Amino acid sequence: MDIGQKVLEKLKDEISQSEYNRYIKNLKYDSKSSRSDIAIFTTNNILSAKWIKTRYAKKIAHLYEVESGIKPEVIIDVKGTQNRNKLKNIIKKEQKSESTLLNPSFTFSSFVLGDSNSLAYNVSKAVAENPGKQYNPLFIYGGVGLGKTHLMQAIGNYRANLGDRIIYNTLEQFLNRYTNHIRTGTMDRFRDYYRNCDLLLIDDIQFISRKEQTQEEFFHTFNELHSLGKQIVITSDKAPKKIAGLEDRLKSRFEWGMLANINPPELETKIAIIKKKAELNGIRLDDEIVNFLATKLGSNIREIEGTLIKINAMSSLLRQKITLDFVKNAIEDYLNEKKENITIDTIVKIVAQELNVKPSDIKSKKRAKKIVEARRIAIYLARNLTPNSMPQIAVYFGMKDHSAISHAMKKIEEIIENDENLKVLIDELSNKIETIKNTDWKDN
Ligand code: ADP
Ligand code: MG
């Protein structure tokens, strides 16, 4: 598969099926005319080309950069016409005005504040107002879709408006850039690039796990910037000490400044978020519906937003009003569909990874405390997140019969009642499992 096709495949995962079918399906990568820094795509007509350019060009450039380490100029051409130069100029102008990959809608004012995220929000605000001072580095951690990238980019947007030079990179981009520069023997340029910024934002640092050379390079970049008083902000899905395969010297540096975690939103925060997202997307929902959604949907805010957009699209497609019944139906299909996509294998893998035990231990009869706990959690999640029956789950875990599962379920429900931390952990695990579907599960 060439890079353009890969990018389109990735884009497919990030947008809704209907958007994909309508706009992106007919988009073709022109590998002959493209260069490493100019990615040319063609589509059928000028209207789609314009639409794709405004809606997706940035995203395509971003995905392309993730793949190649180079941010290209993206050109959406129309088959058989000579729009290339015109489009090229428009895009050039647009791209000059924004040199980083920050999403302009991730600001402090679009972020809904609640108990679960107030620490991270307040510290981020303080960092934006006073970078390189009290909280350096700022390390934000928490589960999937809880607002880490949003807050990190809110800091970036705030500083960019004041004229600071910002680098926002996912760890993946940092890694790709690193490998490309190593390959071409241009590490001096790599170092210049990272060490000449006022604010370095590294998103999803957990993927640095066990990548020794990248850790080494990041260590030096970190030290250099830190000693110059430049602010560093890092996000991760877990606390530094929980990132397996992270060198101690990096762990300790990540703890120098401020560790701020984001928890899954409590009900009130979820309600406030749903209201805000509905408003931003021009969707009218009455309170009854908002409450229903808040109790039914999980804590991944990206998914909550996706669901809202889907409900809205369905309502206009079917020309039906968004009533409680309509939403119930829509959600039910959606929840069932989600369930069918999750297997116990995935659950076991993720629980094992997060709790640092082996998947085979979870399926074994070992009685070590850590393993028993992990097994119980896996059973609980298997029961809640997959359509498997208790007997089926019993077979999977090599247990006698369904009563053993039912017993394990009772036990863990009891523990969850009294253990807030476990509740949060389970919420985070569910989130992760629902995000990493079986199809795109990657061994790390
Ligand atoms: P993470 O990086 O933690 O996985 P993101 O920052 O990408 O999550 O957030 C996922 C989506 O949810 C984004 O669209 C973001 O704007 C939204 N979001 C998350 N938390 C909030 C919040 N407190 N208020 C408003 N939107 C939020
Ligand atoms: Mg993120």
Side-chain angles (χ1 to χ4, degrees), residues 105-106 110-114 117 142-151 203-204 235 262 269 273 276-277 300-303 305:
S105 64
F106 287 170
S110 64
F111 192 83
V112 177
L113 199 53
N117 59 35
V144 186
L146 301 184
K148 302 182 295 295
T149 300
H150 188 134
L151 278 180
D203 208 354
D204 287 323
T235 71
I262 305 189
T269 312
I273 289 173
K276 176 111 184 180
K277 296 287 174 189
N300 182 335
I301 297 161
R302 189 177 304 123
E303 275 201 11
E305 191 166 14

PDB file of all heavy atoms in Angstrom, residues 105-106 110-114 117 142-151 203-204 235 262 269 273 276-277 300-303 305, ligand 1:
ATOM      1  N   SER A 105      -9.833  24.436  17.672  1.00  0.00           N
ATOM      2  CA  SER A 105     -11.023  24.387  18.530  1.00  0.00           C
ATOM      3  C   SER A 105     -10.718  23.844  19.927  1.00  0.00           C
ATOM      4  O   SER A 105     -11.563  23.870  20.804  1.00  0.00           O
ATOM      5  CB  SER A 105     -12.128  23.581  17.854  1.00  0.00           C
ATOM      6  OG  SER A 105     -11.704  22.252  17.713  1.00  0.00           O
ATOM      7  N   PHE A 106      -9.492  23.381  20.137  1.00  0.00           N
ATOM      8  CA  PHE A 106      -9.120  22.936  21.483  1.00  0.00           C
ATOM      9  C   PHE A 106      -8.613  24.123  22.304  1.00  0.00           C
ATOM     10  O   PHE A 106      -7.427  24.425  22.315  1.00  0.00           O
ATOM     11  CB  PHE A 106      -8.041  21.846  21.417  1.00  0.00           C
ATOM     12  CG  PHE A 106      -8.540  20.509  20.936  1.00  0.00           C
ATOM     13  CD1 PHE A 106      -7.649  19.488  20.617  1.00  0.00           C
ATOM     14  CD2 PHE A 106      -9.893  20.242  20.809  1.00  0.00           C
ATOM     15  CE1 PHE A 106      -8.100  18.245  20.173  1.00  0.00           C
ATOM     16  CE2 PHE A 106     -10.360  19.005  20.368  1.00  0.00           C
ATOM     17  CZ  PHE A 106      -9.452  18.010  20.057  1.00  0.00           C
ATOM     18  N   SER A 110     -13.515  26.180  25.370  1.00  0.00           N
ATOM     19  CA  SER A 110     -14.400  25.111  24.904  1.00  0.00           C
ATOM     20  C   SER A 110     -14.294  23.863  25.794  1.00  0.00           C
ATOM     21  O   SER A 110     -14.869  22.829  25.500  1.00  0.00           O
ATOM     22  CB  SER A 110     -14.085  24.747  23.443  1.00  0.00           C
ATOM     23  OG  SER A 110     -12.784  24.209  23.337  1.00  0.00           O
ATOM     24  N   PHE A 111     -13.538  23.970  26.869  1.00  0.00           N
ATOM     25  CA  PHE A 111     -13.342  22.823  27.755  1.00  0.00           C
ATOM     26  C   PHE A 111     -14.306  22.918  28.933  1.00  0.00           C
ATOM     27  O   PHE A 111     -14.392  23.938  29.608  1.00  0.00           O
ATOM     28  CB  PHE A 111     -11.897  22.820  28.263  1.00  0.00           C
ATOM     29  CG  PHE A 111     -11.484  21.545  28.947  1.00  0.00           C
ATOM     30  CD1 PHE A 111     -11.055  20.456  28.209  1.00  0.00           C
ATOM     31  CD2 PHE A 111     -11.519  21.435  30.338  1.00  0.00           C
ATOM     32  CE1 PHE A 111     -10.665  19.274  28.834  1.00  0.00           C
ATOM     33  CE2 PHE A 111     -11.134  20.246  30.962  1.00  0.00           C
ATOM     34  CZ  PHE A 111     -10.706  19.177  30.206  1.00  0.00           C
ATOM     35  N   VAL A 112     -15.055  21.858  29.162  1.00  0.00           N
ATOM     36  CA  VAL A 112     -16.024  21.863  30.265  1.00  0.00           C
ATOM     37  C   VAL A 112     -15.343  21.403  31.546  1.00  0.00           C
ATOM     38  O   VAL A 112     -14.736  20.344  31.604  1.00  0.00           O
ATOM     39  CB  VAL A 112     -17.225  20.940  29.961  1.00  0.00           C
ATOM     40  CG1 VAL A 112     -18.180  20.901  31.139  1.00  0.00           C
ATOM     41  CG2 VAL A 112     -17.938  21.389  28.694  1.00  0.00           C
ATOM     42  N   LEU A 113     -15.471  22.235  32.555  1.00  0.00           N
ATOM     43  CA  LEU A 113     -14.798  21.995  33.821  1.00  0.00           C
ATOM     44  C   LEU A 113     -15.663  21.147  34.746  1.00  0.00           C
ATOM     45  O   LEU A 113     -16.854  21.360  34.833  1.00  0.00           O
ATOM     46  CB  LEU A 113     -14.543  23.373  34.455  1.00  0.00           C
ATOM     47  CG  LEU A 113     -13.502  23.503  35.530  1.00  0.00           C
ATOM     48  CD1 LEU A 113     -12.187  22.927  35.067  1.00  0.00           C
ATOM     49  CD2 LEU A 113     -13.339  24.973  35.881  1.00  0.00           C
ATOM     50  N   GLY A 114     -15.037  20.179  35.420  1.00  0.00           N
ATOM     51  CA  GLY A 114     -15.769  19.383  36.407  1.00  0.00           C
ATOM     52  C   GLY A 114     -14.783  18.854  37.435  1.00  0.00           C
ATOM     53  O   GLY A 114     -13.573  19.050  37.286  1.00  0.00           O
ATOM     54  N   ASN A 117     -11.734  16.801  36.161  1.00  0.00           N
ATOM     55  CA  ASN A 117     -10.632  17.373  35.376  1.00  0.00           C
ATOM     56  C   ASN A 117     -10.146  18.719  35.883  1.00  0.00           C
ATOM     57  O   ASN A 117      -9.332  19.372  35.232  1.00  0.00           O
ATOM     58  CB  ASN A 117     -11.051  17.481  33.907  1.00  0.00           C
ATOM     59  CG  ASN A 117     -12.297  18.351  33.724  1.00  0.00           C
ATOM     60  OD1 ASN A 117     -12.489  19.337  34.429  1.00  0.00           O
ATOM     61  ND2 ASN A 117     -13.151  17.974  32.786  1.00  0.00           N
ATOM     62  N   GLY A 142      -4.281  10.165  32.053  1.00  0.00           N
ATOM     63  CA  GLY A 142      -5.647   9.707  32.274  1.00  0.00           C
ATOM     64  C   GLY A 142      -6.101   8.870  31.086  1.00  0.00           C
ATOM     65  O   GLY A 142      -5.377   8.734  30.095  1.00  0.00           O
ATOM     66  N   GLY A 143      -7.304   8.321  31.206  1.00  0.00           N
ATOM     67  CA  GLY A 143      -7.804   7.375  30.204  1.00  0.00           C
ATOM     68  C   GLY A 143      -8.100   8.006  28.841  1.00  0.00           C
ATOM     69  O   GLY A 143      -7.948   9.213  28.647  1.00  0.00           O
ATOM     70  N   VAL A 144      -8.542   7.156  27.947  1.00  0.00           N
ATOM     71  CA  VAL A 144      -8.801   7.563  26.563  1.00  0.00           C
ATOM     72  C   VAL A 144     -10.000   8.514  26.467  1.00  0.00           C
ATOM     73  O   VAL A 144     -11.034   8.272  27.073  1.00  0.00           O
ATOM     74  CB  VAL A 144      -9.142   6.324  25.705  1.00  0.00           C
ATOM     75  CG1 VAL A 144      -9.259   6.707  24.239  1.00  0.00           C
ATOM     76  CG2 VAL A 144      -8.122   5.237  25.901  1.00  0.00           C
ATOM     77  N   GLY A 145      -9.840   9.562  25.694  1.00  0.00           N
ATOM     78  CA  GLY A 145     -10.964  10.451  25.399  1.00  0.00           C
ATOM     79  C   GLY A 145     -11.411  11.328  26.552  1.00  0.00           C
ATOM     80  O   GLY A 145     -12.548  11.771  26.604  1.00  0.00           O
ATOM     81  N   LEU A 146     -10.507  11.586  27.502  1.00  0.00           N
ATOM     82  CA  LEU A 146     -10.907  12.374  28.666  1.00  0.00           C
ATOM     83  C   LEU A 146     -10.447  13.827  28.599  1.00  0.00           C
ATOM     84  O   LEU A 146     -10.669  14.597  29.520  1.00  0.00           O
ATOM     85  CB  LEU A 146     -10.388  11.723  29.954  1.00  0.00           C
ATOM     86  CG  LEU A 146     -10.869  10.292  30.231  1.00  0.00           C
ATOM     87  CD1 LEU A 146     -10.359   9.812  31.580  1.00  0.00           C
ATOM     88  CD2 LEU A 146     -12.389  10.196  30.180  1.00  0.00           C
ATOM     89  N   GLY A 147      -9.781  14.191  27.512  1.00  0.00           N
ATOM     90  CA  GLY A 147      -9.458  15.618  27.347  1.00  0.00           C
ATOM     91  C   GLY A 147      -7.983  15.981  27.498  1.00  0.00           C
ATOM     92  O   GLY A 147      -7.658  17.164  27.611  1.00  0.00           O
ATOM     93  N   LYS A 148      -7.107  14.994  27.480  1.00  0.00           N
ATOM     94  CA  LYS A 148      -5.676  15.299  27.637  1.00  0.00           C
ATOM     95  C   LYS A 148      -5.151  16.130  26.463  1.00  0.00           C
ATOM     96  O   LYS A 148      -4.522  17.162  26.653  1.00  0.00           O
ATOM     97  CB  LYS A 148      -4.844  14.003  27.746  1.00  0.00           C
ATOM     98  CG  LYS A 148      -5.265  13.109  28.891  1.00  0.00           C
ATOM     99  CD  LYS A 148      -4.384  11.884  28.969  1.00  0.00           C
ATOM    100  CE  LYS A 148      -4.503  10.960  27.771  1.00  0.00           C
ATOM    101  NZ  LYS A 148      -5.832  10.332  27.616  1.00  0.00           N
ATOM    102  N   THR A 149      -5.425  15.639  25.259  1.00  0.00           N
ATOM    103  CA  THR A 149      -4.945  16.359  24.077  1.00  0.00           C
ATOM    104  C   THR A 149      -5.587  17.747  24.005  1.00  0.00           C
ATOM    105  O   THR A 149      -4.930  18.735  23.676  1.00  0.00           O
ATOM    106  CB  THR A 149      -5.263  15.550  22.805  1.00  0.00           C
ATOM    107  OG1 THR A 149      -4.610  14.287  22.902  1.00  0.00           O
ATOM    108  CG2 THR A 149      -4.780  16.260  21.557  1.00  0.00           C
ATOM    109  N   HIS A 150      -6.857  17.800  24.351  1.00  0.00           N
ATOM    110  CA  HIS A 150      -7.557  19.087  24.338  1.00  0.00           C
ATOM    111  C   HIS A 150      -6.838  20.105  25.237  1.00  0.00           C
ATOM    112  O   HIS A 150      -6.522  21.214  24.804  1.00  0.00           O
ATOM    113  CB  HIS A 150      -9.003  18.856  24.794  1.00  0.00           C
ATOM    114  CG  HIS A 150      -9.886  20.057  24.659  1.00  0.00           C
ATOM    115  ND1 HIS A 150     -11.148  19.993  24.119  1.00  0.00           N
ATOM    116  CD2 HIS A 150      -9.701  21.361  24.992  1.00  0.00           C
ATOM    117  CE1 HIS A 150     -11.701  21.205  24.139  1.00  0.00           C
ATOM    118  NE2 HIS A 150     -10.830  22.046  24.659  1.00  0.00           N
ATOM    119  N   LEU A 151      -6.554  19.722  26.474  1.00  0.00           N
ATOM    120  CA  LEU A 151      -5.909  20.663  27.391  1.00  0.00           C
ATOM    121  C   LEU A 151      -4.504  21.030  26.935  1.00  0.00           C
ATOM    122  O   LEU A 151      -4.097  22.192  26.991  1.00  0.00           O
ATOM    123  CB  LEU A 151      -5.837  20.058  28.799  1.00  0.00           C
ATOM    124  CG  LEU A 151      -7.093  20.178  29.644  1.00  0.00           C
ATOM    125  CD1 LEU A 151      -6.859  19.538  31.012  1.00  0.00           C
ATOM    126  CD2 LEU A 151      -7.499  21.643  29.809  1.00  0.00           C
ATOM    127  N   ASP A 203       2.498  14.388  22.947  1.00  0.00           N
ATOM    128  CA  ASP A 203       1.228  13.730  23.250  1.00  0.00           C
ATOM    129  C   ASP A 203       1.398  12.203  23.245  1.00  0.00           C
ATOM    130  O   ASP A 203       2.068  11.667  22.365  1.00  0.00           O
ATOM    131  CB  ASP A 203       0.211  14.142  22.167  1.00  0.00           C
ATOM    132  CG  ASP A 203      -1.219  14.128  22.680  1.00  0.00           C
ATOM    133  OD1 ASP A 203      -1.435  13.687  23.822  1.00  0.00           O
ATOM    134  OD2 ASP A 203      -2.117  14.559  21.929  1.00  0.00           O
ATOM    135  N   ASP A 204       0.776  11.557  24.201  1.00  0.00           N
ATOM    136  CA  ASP A 204       0.802  10.087  24.271  1.00  0.00           C
ATOM    137  C   ASP A 204       2.207   9.509  24.378  1.00  0.00           C
ATOM    138  O   ASP A 204       2.598   8.619  23.616  1.00  0.00           O
ATOM    139  CB  ASP A 204       0.075   9.471  23.061  1.00  0.00           C
ATOM    140  CG  ASP A 204      -1.433   9.655  23.176  1.00  0.00           C
ATOM    141  OD1 ASP A 204      -1.955   9.566  24.305  1.00  0.00           O
ATOM    142  OD2 ASP A 204      -2.088   9.901  22.147  1.00  0.00           O
ATOM    143  N   THR A 235       1.639  14.278  27.737  1.00  0.00           N
ATOM    144  CA  THR A 235       0.458  13.526  28.166  1.00  0.00           C
ATOM    145  C   THR A 235       0.744  12.030  28.047  1.00  0.00           C
ATOM    146  O   THR A 235       1.641  11.610  27.320  1.00  0.00           O
ATOM    147  CB  THR A 235      -0.793  13.797  27.307  1.00  0.00           C
ATOM    148  OG1 THR A 235      -0.600  13.187  26.032  1.00  0.00           O
ATOM    149  CG2 THR A 235      -1.075  15.262  27.149  1.00  0.00           C
ATOM    150  N   ILE A 262      -6.471  13.169  34.962  1.00  0.00           N
ATOM    151  CA  ILE A 262      -7.869  13.445  34.627  1.00  0.00           C
ATOM    152  C   ILE A 262      -8.635  12.153  34.864  1.00  0.00           C
ATOM    153  O   ILE A 262      -8.236  11.089  34.381  1.00  0.00           O
ATOM    154  CB  ILE A 262      -8.045  13.843  33.147  1.00  0.00           C
ATOM    155  CG1 ILE A 262      -7.139  15.017  32.803  1.00  0.00           C
ATOM    156  CG2 ILE A 262      -9.496  14.195  32.851  1.00  0.00           C
ATOM    157  CD1 ILE A 262      -7.410  15.620  31.423  1.00  0.00           C
ATOM    158  N   THR A 269     -20.700  16.287  35.237  1.00  0.00           N
ATOM    159  CA  THR A 269     -19.774  16.793  34.224  1.00  0.00           C
ATOM    160  C   THR A 269     -20.165  16.258  32.856  1.00  0.00           C
ATOM    161  O   THR A 269     -20.137  16.968  31.856  1.00  0.00           O
ATOM    162  CB  THR A 269     -18.332  16.373  34.559  1.00  0.00           C
ATOM    163  OG1 THR A 269     -18.082  16.664  35.919  1.00  0.00           O
ATOM    164  CG2 THR A 269     -17.339  17.099  33.687  1.00  0.00           C
ATOM    165  N   ILE A 273     -21.031  18.329  29.591  1.00  0.00           N
ATOM    166  CA  ILE A 273     -20.286  18.130  28.343  1.00  0.00           C
ATOM    167  C   ILE A 273     -21.246  17.841  27.185  1.00  0.00           C
ATOM    168  O   ILE A 273     -21.130  18.400  26.100  1.00  0.00           O
ATOM    169  CB  ILE A 273     -19.258  16.987  28.494  1.00  0.00           C
ATOM    170  CG1 ILE A 273     -18.121  17.443  29.411  1.00  0.00           C
ATOM    171  CG2 ILE A 273     -18.697  16.570  27.132  1.00  0.00           C
ATOM    172  CD1 ILE A 273     -17.128  16.355  29.775  1.00  0.00           C
ATOM    173  N   LYS A 276     -22.884  20.988  26.089  1.00  0.00           N
ATOM    174  CA  LYS A 276     -21.955  21.855  25.349  1.00  0.00           C
ATOM    175  C   LYS A 276     -21.702  21.324  23.933  1.00  0.00           C
ATOM    176  O   LYS A 276     -21.733  22.082  22.964  1.00  0.00           O
ATOM    177  CB  LYS A 276     -20.638  21.922  26.115  1.00  0.00           C
ATOM    178  CG  LYS A 276     -19.553  22.712  25.428  1.00  0.00           C
ATOM    179  CD  LYS A 276     -19.288  23.961  26.197  1.00  0.00           C
ATOM    180  CE  LYS A 276     -18.273  24.860  25.539  1.00  0.00           C
ATOM    181  NZ  LYS A 276     -18.046  26.057  26.338  1.00  0.00           N
ATOM    182  N   LYS A 277     -21.496  20.013  23.838  1.00  0.00           N
ATOM    183  CA  LYS A 277     -21.210  19.446  22.518  1.00  0.00           C
ATOM    184  C   LYS A 277     -22.427  19.554  21.610  1.00  0.00           C
ATOM    185  O   LYS A 277     -22.296  19.791  20.408  1.00  0.00           O
ATOM    186  CB  LYS A 277     -20.787  17.977  22.635  1.00  0.00           C
ATOM    187  CG  LYS A 277     -19.495  17.769  23.394  1.00  0.00           C
ATOM    188  CD  LYS A 277     -18.300  18.218  22.581  1.00  0.00           C
ATOM    189  CE  LYS A 277     -17.029  18.136  23.419  1.00  0.00           C
ATOM    190  NZ  LYS A 277     -15.873  18.753  22.781  1.00  0.00           N
ATOM    191  N   ASN A 300     -15.807   8.005  27.641  1.00  0.00           N
ATOM    192  CA  ASN A 300     -14.971   8.513  26.559  1.00  0.00           C
ATOM    193  C   ASN A 300     -15.696   9.649  25.834  1.00  0.00           C
ATOM    194  O   ASN A 300     -16.693   9.438  25.154  1.00  0.00           O
ATOM    195  CB  ASN A 300     -14.656   7.365  25.597  1.00  0.00           C
ATOM    196  CG  ASN A 300     -13.743   7.797  24.474  1.00  0.00           C
ATOM    197  OD1 ASN A 300     -13.679   8.967  24.111  1.00  0.00           O
ATOM    198  ND2 ASN A 300     -13.018   6.842  23.922  1.00  0.00           N
ATOM    199  N   ILE A 301     -15.172  10.850  26.012  1.00  0.00           N
ATOM    200  CA  ILE A 301     -15.885  12.021  25.511  1.00  0.00           C
ATOM    201  C   ILE A 301     -15.857  12.093  23.991  1.00  0.00           C
ATOM    202  O   ILE A 301     -16.778  12.590  23.358  1.00  0.00           O
ATOM    203  CB  ILE A 301     -15.333  13.296  26.182  1.00  0.00           C
ATOM    204  CG1 ILE A 301     -15.599  13.184  27.682  1.00  0.00           C
ATOM    205  CG2 ILE A 301     -15.986  14.558  25.629  1.00  0.00           C
ATOM    206  CD1 ILE A 301     -14.773  14.080  28.532  1.00  0.00           C
ATOM    207  N   ARG A 302     -14.810  11.549  23.410  1.00  0.00           N
ATOM    208  CA  ARG A 302     -14.747  11.499  21.951  1.00  0.00           C
ATOM    209  C   ARG A 302     -15.910  10.658  21.429  1.00  0.00           C
ATOM    210  O   ARG A 302     -16.560  10.984  20.445  1.00  0.00           O
ATOM    211  CB  ARG A 302     -13.411  10.914  21.508  1.00  0.00           C
ATOM    212  CG  ARG A 302     -13.166  11.029  20.018  1.00  0.00           C
ATOM    213  CD  ARG A 302     -11.792  10.508  19.649  1.00  0.00           C
ATOM    214  NE  ARG A 302     -10.744  11.181  20.392  1.00  0.00           N
ATOM    215  CZ  ARG A 302      -9.852  10.563  21.155  1.00  0.00           C
ATOM    216  NH1 ARG A 302      -9.880   9.257  21.286  1.00  0.00           N
ATOM    217  NH2 ARG A 302      -8.932  11.250  21.785  1.00  0.00           N
ATOM    218  N   GLU A 303     -16.190   9.567  22.131  1.00  0.00           N
ATOM    219  CA  GLU A 303     -17.300   8.715  21.708  1.00  0.00           C
ATOM    220  C   GLU A 303     -18.643   9.362  21.956  1.00  0.00           C
ATOM    221  O   GLU A 303     -19.574   9.206  21.170  1.00  0.00           O
ATOM    222  CB  GLU A 303     -17.234   7.377  22.436  1.00  0.00           C
ATOM    223  CG  GLU A 303     -16.330   6.448  21.710  1.00  0.00           C
ATOM    224  CD  GLU A 303     -16.599   4.985  22.054  1.00  0.00           C
ATOM    225  OE1 GLU A 303     -17.621   4.677  22.696  1.00  0.00           O
ATOM    226  OE2 GLU A 303     -15.760   4.183  21.670  1.00  0.00           O
ATOM    227  N   GLU A 305     -19.267  12.485  21.830  1.00  0.00           N
ATOM    228  CA  GLU A 305     -19.449  13.459  20.760  1.00  0.00           C
ATOM    229  C   GLU A 305     -19.816  12.750  19.446  1.00  0.00           C
ATOM    230  O   GLU A 305     -20.722  13.174  18.730  1.00  0.00           O
ATOM    231  CB  GLU A 305     -18.170  14.276  20.594  1.00  0.00           C
ATOM    232  CG  GLU A 305     -18.363  15.477  19.705  1.00  0.00           C
ATOM    233  CD  GLU A 305     -17.206  16.475  19.812  1.00  0.00           C
ATOM    234  OE1 GLU A 305     -16.144  16.115  20.366  1.00  0.00           O
ATOM    235  OE2 GLU A 305     -17.378  17.605  19.333  1.00  0.00           O
TER     236      GLU A 305
HETATM  237  P1  ADP B   1      -7.552  12.271  25.106  1.00  0.00           P
HETATM  238  O1  ADP B   1      -6.393  13.005  24.512  1.00  0.00           O
HETATM  239  O2  ADP B   1      -7.542  12.320  26.602  1.00  0.00           O
HETATM  240  O3  ADP B   1      -7.729  10.896  24.581  1.00  0.00           O
HETATM  241  P2  ADP B   1      -9.043  14.346  23.794  1.00  0.00           P
HETATM  242  O4  ADP B   1      -8.396  15.529  24.423  1.00  0.00           O
HETATM  243  O5  ADP B   1      -8.659  14.041  22.400  1.00  0.00           O
HETATM  244  O6  ADP B   1      -8.855  13.055  24.707  1.00  0.00           O
HETATM  245  O7  ADP B   1     -10.607  14.514  23.900  1.00  0.00           O
HETATM  246  C1  ADP B   1     -11.488  13.779  23.093  1.00  0.00           C
HETATM  247  C2  ADP B   1     -12.629  14.659  22.652  1.00  0.00           C
HETATM  248  O8  ADP B   1     -13.397  14.995  23.776  1.00  0.00           O
HETATM  249  C3  ADP B   1     -12.181  15.968  22.042  1.00  0.00           C
HETATM  250  O9  ADP B   1     -13.052  16.292  21.006  1.00  0.00           O
HETATM  251  C4  ADP B   1     -12.312  16.965  23.176  1.00  0.00           C
HETATM  252  O10 ADP B   1     -12.618  18.248  22.704  1.00  0.00           O
HETATM  253  C5  ADP B   1     -13.452  16.389  23.955  1.00  0.00           C
HETATM  254  N1  ADP B   1     -13.349  16.681  25.393  1.00  0.00           N
HETATM  255  C6  ADP B   1     -12.690  15.972  26.327  1.00  0.00           C
HETATM  256  N2  ADP B   1     -12.845  16.500  27.545  1.00  0.00           N
HETATM  257  C7  ADP B   1     -13.620  17.590  27.371  1.00  0.00           C
HETATM  258  C8  ADP B   1     -14.150  18.568  28.260  1.00  0.00           C
HETATM  259  N3  ADP B   1     -13.922  18.534  29.584  1.00  0.00           N
HETATM  260  N4  ADP B   1     -14.898  19.541  27.728  1.00  0.00           N
HETATM  261  C9  ADP B   1     -15.167  19.578  26.421  1.00  0.00           C
HETATM  262  N5  ADP B   1     -14.712  18.685  25.533  1.00  0.00           N
HETATM  263  C10 ADP B   1     -13.946  17.701  25.993  1.00  0.00           C
END
